[in-house]
Amino acid sequence: MGADDKTQNNAEKLGGKVQEGLGKATGNKDMEAEGQKDQSKADLKNAGENIKDAFKGK
């Protein structure tokens, strides 16, 4: 289950990077900020997964 969650988190981070890049390219600050928020959210989720893995002994 952890690997699937990490894959989803990485996909969310990649989507955030794309959205941020599109926002920068088009001058859309809201889109850029939303992309940054998605990346931060994915990073936090990954940190949680890493903590869970540490307690499981992986």
Side-chain angles (χ1 to χ4, degrees):
M1 182 166 171
D4 291 338
D5 291 336
K6 287 180 182 180
T7 301
Q8 284 181 315
N9 296 339
N10 288 333
E12 183 176 358
K13 184 170 182 169
L14 179 61
K17 284 184 180 190
V18 169
Q19 189 172 16
E20 179 185 6
L22 285 172
K24 283 182 181 178
T26 61
N28 185 335
K29 296 291 183 188
D30 290 335
M31 183 185 290
E32 185 178 345
E34 185 72 26
Q36 290 171 346
K37 184 182 87 171
D38 288 348
Q39 291 175 67
S40 296
K41 199 165 58 169
D43 286 338
L44 286 172
K45 288 178 183 178
N46 271 335
E49 288 297 321
N50 290 338
I51 291 169
K52 286 195 299 189
D53 287 347
F55 281 104
K56 289 180 182 177
K58 287 188 176 181

